[in-house]
Amino acid sequence: MPIMLVVNESLCLECGGCVPLCPEDALFLSFNCLECNTDLCTLCRICIQFCPVGAIEEGEYVDV
Amino acid sequence: MSMYDAVVIGAGPAGSMAAYEIASAGYSVLMVEKHKRPGLPMCCAEGVGRISFEKIIDPKPEWISSRIDTVRVVAPDGSDVSVAYPGAGYILERPRLDYDLAQRAVAAGCRLECETIGTHVDGNGDRFESIELRRPDGERVMVKAAIFIAADGIESQIARRAGVANAVDIEQVESILEYRVENIDLKVDTIEFFVGNDVAPKGYLWVFPKSPNSANIGLGIISDTKRSEEAGYRLDKFVEKNYPGAVVTHKTAGLTPKYQGKKMFRIRNLLAAGDAARALDSLTGAGIVNAMMSGKYAGAAAAEYLSDGVDGYNKLDNLYPGRFLEVKADELSLYLKLKNVYIRLKDDDFIDIIKALREYFTENSTEGINTGRLLAGLIRTRPRLIRLVKYLL
Ligand SMILES: Cc1cc2nc3c(=O)[nH]c(=O)nc-3n(C[C@H](O)[C@H](O)[C@H](O)COP(=O)(O)OP(=O)(O)OC[C@H]3O[C@@H](n4cnc5c(N)ncnc54)[C@H](O)[C@@H]3O)c2cc1C
């Protein structure tokens, strides 16, 4: 199962702090949620390390 | 395709100041803001120095929550220094300030479109000509303009996609967590900073009073591990210990990037202002006043650029960031150097520095601080600090 980033929307405060840290510009703060472009994400985990509220996690990608 | 003289991306303090300047000069300007209303959600401790704030704008009473006359710094061993500094600063009501600044631009003739995201600018290699806007229903439109102002805050994706900004280095920035705390008692005229490895590793913790019973209490930390555990644990511990019975009514977070010099402020006919240009005080992370000021300069430069017709970029560069940095570059660089010293301080250094400050301020006031005497006192109390002087050069 591939691993990908998952944003826990109940924890995310939409501060946008992780966005400029992403080396691949894969994170994007949309109208009311943080989005991750999984095509660009290399799972470097910098955003996970940064997030002051632990809202970004690694999850398993489930193909539906 | 609709067309404006200028498009401003982001209706924070930087964007609204810029839009106001451009509209006041008689040019058509569109300002787009992602959120429903400028000023919300708020990610800020809301502190500003009074003099620098009033240099830019005459404050309205509604913008001010409390007036600060005393700055207290607490060392890791609990020793402290309280510096009386009448009229030092304000704790603002930022949602109100941001909203009013945006409305001020609108009153001057700016068109404001909320719930609209600027995704990226497009151009011909020499000039940016249009910007793509996205609405909540997914609709995308292109808008043309002669000049663009990226005032999109820390996210700064407009400037980054235009090629001006790089990714921020995580080693250089604190993870910030802040609570609005109510049901507490505190001195409404005093801001407090707590320093040391236990309270806030490589950062600091602040208590900014909003009223006699509420405050913005936050911290910034740098660490190599997952920072959420540390930040939450330390902030909770501080609040529980110092303010039993406190109620946390709101949480916010964020990042305050470090100043990176001139390169971040302009690429072709796109000017970046505020956090998007990293125009912050790197030591404290204060960025409100610099955002307003850089926005104002960027807006004024854009208006002059529009009145001249489109030509090379030399003159534009002299106007912006040229004029802004003429006033601010030394200060911004100094704070960056001070930050490089700050992150190297150990708990014992803090204790001795606060002791030296206490000694200095029992004999001297904050008026006309004698930097030489202050530094001499610091080195006498803590000779080890000399080895850090190299980071100031
Ligand atoms: C927790 C915290 C506490 C702080 N405390 C203080 C303090 O006490 N004093 C101080 O001086 N500074 C403080 N700062 C820094 C201060 O908040 C910023 O420097 C200031 O807000 C910068 O203003 P700005 O206009 O550049 O950006 P912002 O205020 O961030 O405004 C940017 C705007 O652009 C919008 N936007 C972003 N991307 C897009 C897009 N693509 N399209 C459309 N709109 C977009 C955003 O929604 C936002 O409204 C703090 C920062 C944090 C995180």
Side-chain angles (χ1 to χ4, degrees), chain A residues 14 29-33, chain B residues 10-12 31-42 95 98-99 102-103 106 112-117 134-137:
Chain A
E14 293 169 50
L29 197 53
S30 191
F31 292 99
N32 45 24
C33 62
Chain B
M31 177 160 66
V32 294
E33 166 56 47
K34 177 187 336 205
H35 289 112
K36 282 204 176 79
R37 186 193 146 103
L40 291 175
M42 201 259 307
D98 286 24
Y99 182 79
Q103 289 310 317
V106 169
L112 170 65
E113 287 185 17
C114 291
E115 288 193 278
T116 303
I117 288 177
R134 183 159 73 94
R135 321 249 190 233
D137 61 6

Side-chain angles (χ1 to χ4, degrees), chain A residues 13-17 19-25 27-31 35 46 48-54, chain B residues 34 115 117 134-136 154-155 157 160-161 167-168 170 175-177 223-225 227-228 252-255:
Chain A
L13 300 173
E14 293 169 50
C15 74
V19 173
L21 291 167
C22 177
E24 309 301 329
D25 196 11
L27 292 169
F28 179 68
L29 197 53
S30 191
F31 292 99
E35 291 170 3
I46 286 176
I48 297 182
Q49 184 192 341
F50 166 80
C51 181
V53 292
Chain B
K34 177 187 336 205
E115 288 193 278
I117 288 177
R134 183 159 73 94
R135 321 249 190 233
I154 37 165
E155 294 155 60
Q157 278 173 320
R160 182 169 181 188
R161 289 171 185 169
V168 168
I170 189 166
S175 295
I176 300 177
L177 180 63
S223 74
D224 300 334
T225 51
R227 296 178 182 180
S228 55
T252 181
L255 165 155

Side-chain angles (χ1 to χ4, degrees), chain B residues 349-366:
Chain B
D349 297 323
F350 283 123
I351 293 169
D352 281 349
I353 289 171
I354 284 165
K355 183 169 168 237
L357 288 174
R358 204 165 48 231
E359 282 163 9
Y360 177 87
F361 285 111
T362 46
E363 287 164 21
N364 305 276
S365 78
T366 48

Side-chain angles (χ1 to χ4, degrees), chain B residues 10 13-14 33-35 43-47 94 118 152 274-275 286-288 291:
Chain B
E33 166 56 47
K34 177 187 336 205
H35 289 112
C43 298
C44 190
E46 309 179 285
R94 257 205 78 181
D152 48 342
D275 281 11
I288 302 170

